[in-house]
Amino acid sequence: MTGVTGPAENRPARVGPVAARVEIETRGEDGLPVAARVTIAADEPVFAGHYPHFPIFPGVCVLECVQRAATDGPDAPDPRDLAAVESARFAGAAYPGDVLTLALKWRRTDAGLRCDATAATERGKAASVRLRFEPSGGTR
């Protein structure tokens, strides 16, 4: 992760199965992340049980990487405002040593923000994800 999103005292600590760092490469004019990358190391803790002798980065971990990218930065939604994972489709596997390239597209809605994201490796698309964020204090 490249930084804590928003004032540190107002954001929860990041807790999850992914140890990898999510690096934001590009932000849009509105400050929202639009491109990120994650290097999947061979020593990711999740590989100990998923699967021995044939490690695959679980889809839920790809989803976490997208969520962490989407909520990175002071202009991004707060992680606590994730209202729904509207869809998640997994199209290909991610393995140790892969680099996940994340592309995020944002739309403002009446309720908040929607993020459509794709995750890909050098072999092609790994996942497409749609997240919906609804700030508890009103729209951004």
Side-chain angles (χ1 to χ4, degrees):
M1 184 172 78
T2 60
V4 175
T5 54
E9 66 275 6
N10 296 332
R11 298 281 177 128
R14 299 270 186 179
V15 178
V18 178
R21 180 182 159 135
V22 175
E23 300 175 52
I24 304 301
E25 294 186 322
T26 310
R27 293 185 186 279
E29 291 179 13
D30 53 7
L32 295 172
V34 295
R37 61 187 282 130
V38 181
T39 300
I40 302 169
D43 62 351
E44 274 289 333
V46 72
F47 289 139
H50 204 272
Y51 296 97
H53 309 295
F54 188 71
I56 298 174
F57 198 61
V60 69
C61 294
V62 173
L63 184 61
E64 180 185 341
C65 290
V66 171
Q67 185 270 346
R68 285 173 47 193
T71 57
D72 186 278
D75 297 316
D78 187 299
R80 295 171 290 192
D81 294 337
L82 179 62
V85 176
E86 291 185 341
S87 68
R89 295 183 182 172
F90 301 100
Y95 302 106
D98 280 348
V99 175
L100 274 180
T101 302
L102 308 176
L104 298 85
K105 294 181 183 177
W106 295 90
R107 287 183 288 157
R108 295 205 181 274
T109 66
D110 291 339
L113 289 168
R114 179 168 286 137
C115 177
D116 290 300
T118 59
T121 67
E122 64 182 19
R123 289 177 305 283
K125 185 188 258 186
S128 59
V129 175
R130 177 176 292 146
L131 305 177
R132 187 176 76 234
F133 295 91
E134 295 178 0
S136 56
T139 60
R140 291 185 174 257

